[in-house]
Structures are given as C-alpha cells and as structure tokens.
Amino acid sequence: PYSGNLSKREVLRSFYSYIREELGNTGAKISADLFGMVTTNTDDLGIGQVLEDALIYFDYVSPMVYPSHYPTGFNGWNNPNAVPYDLINFVLNTAVKRASATSTVLFLPGSVAIASTTPQMYTKEIIDIHKLRPWLQDFSLGKPSYGAKEVRDQIQATYDVGLTSWMLWDAANTYTV
C-alpha cells in the first residue's frame, strides 16, 4: 500500500514486485511497456520508470523507442525522426549495455577495462538482453513520409545490437508490408 512517503520510482518498483508475486507462478508471461527514454536516461524521468527496475520483474520489457518522440537535439541530431537506424541503434545499444552491466568488469566490443579502488556497492546479475522487445515506429509523425525504408532501418538496428524480436506500432493499424 502507498504510504505517501515513497518516491514514484519506489511506488512503481513495489507495483512491479506485486505483479511478479501475484502472477509469477501462473505460467503467464509478464511484460511492461515503458517510455523509450528509459533506454538512455538513468533517472526516473520524473514518472518513476527506470529500465533496470522493470527488467528485474518482467519477462519482457518493451521500450517505446519511436524516433518521432525524441526531442530536437537528442544525441546531437537536429531531427531524430530523420535518422531511424542511428537512433534505434544508439538507444537499444545503450539498453543492452545497461541490461548486461554488473558490478564486475564486462568486456563489450570497443570497451576499455579500467581499474578502481572504489569498493563494490552492490552486485547485480546479468539480465538476459532478450527481455528487451522494443516497440518500433510504423507511422508518420513529424515526417511527411514514413515508409518501408524507415521501418526496415529500425528493424535492422534492432538486430544489429543483438536483439531478436520487436513489435511495430501504428495507432491506425495500417502497417507497412
């Protein structure tokens, strides 16, 4: 129960835990849709959503990484919606690294090992990156023509970061072939 003294993040984490406790032994697969910015923001976005919190409790986590929903200037792009491959590759690569991160050294392609005398504060098991199943954009918003090339670019970027599944969203239910 909510006491009024918990942060939004704590409330959501408690809710996630409740869902896992109540449904975890039923055989049902449990998933959550989160805002796309959870892939790159380490704060709770002011609404309590933190990627790692959801990954712990759900079988699948689906960030809504629609290029049209990223602000002008995000990652240096004037119009993130105009670079669907680059955007999806960047945000999902960040999510994969965060899911895989532990308190031990993890060597990723292009990473550099560093030494530290800082004591370990906590441990975290590696989370299967395949829990990440993003929602990709299949609609025009802020771009006159959003078609097969843009959809295919997002799908390819998803595969290129090592993920194997994705979902498309279009509120009008008119999907690109």
Side-chain angles (χ1 to χ4, degrees):
Y2 180 64
S3 70
N5 296 326
L6 300 174
S7 68
K8 291 175 184 176
R9 180 181 183 180
E10 291 167 326
V11 170
L12 279 182
R13 198 172 15 201
S14 176
F15 181 61
Y16 299 161
S17 175
Y18 171 79
I19 291 170
R20 173 56 58 194
E21 288 171 21
E22 293 298 313
L23 300 174
N25 294 325
T26 66
K29 294 294 181 189
I30 306 167
S31 65
D33 296 348
L34 302 177
F35 285 114
M37 295 289 287
V38 302
T39 61
T40 55
N41 280 52
T42 55
D43 63 1
D44 73 352
L45 299 166
I47 58 172
Q49 292 185 4
V50 175
L51 180 63
E52 289 83 354
D53 293 349
L55 286 168
I56 293 167
Y57 294 106
F58 293 98
D59 297 305
Y60 299 99
V61 174
S62 301
M64 299 175 279
V65 290
Y66 314 129
S68 63
H69 286 50
Y70 285 82
T72 299
F74 177 78
N75 201 41
W77 295 304
N78 253 355
N79 180 4
N81 200 22
V83 290
Y85 176 90
D86 296 335
L87 180 119
I88 297 301
N89 185 277
F90 174 73
V91 300
L92 292 182
N93 191 44
T94 302
V96 164
K97 286 179 181 177
R98 288 175 63 185
S100 301
T102 66
S103 60
T104 59
V105 175
L106 176 66
F107 294 99
L108 297 171
S111 68
V112 176
I114 58 170
S116 174
T117 57
T118 305
Q120 177 176 307
M121 296 182 69
Y122 70 95
T123 59
K124 173 187 150 307
E125 292 194 26
I126 294 174
I127 294 169
D128 182 359
I129 64 168
H130 296 102
K131 282 186 162 198
L132 291 163
R133 185 174 288 172
W135 281 107
L136 304 177
Q137 177 174 328
D138 192 8
F139 56 87
S140 294
L141 179 63
K143 186 172 174 18
S145 174
Y146 208 89
K149 180 186 179 338
E150 291 80 6
V151 171
R152 178 52 57 195
D153 285 351
Q154 292 175 86
I155 293 169
Q156 189 60 55
T158 301
Y159 293 147
D160 287 351
V161 301
L163 300 180
T164 57
S165 61
W166 43 267
M167 298 177 287
L168 292 178
W169 176 251
D170 177 21
N173 284 323
T174 52
Y175 292 96
T176 302
V177 177

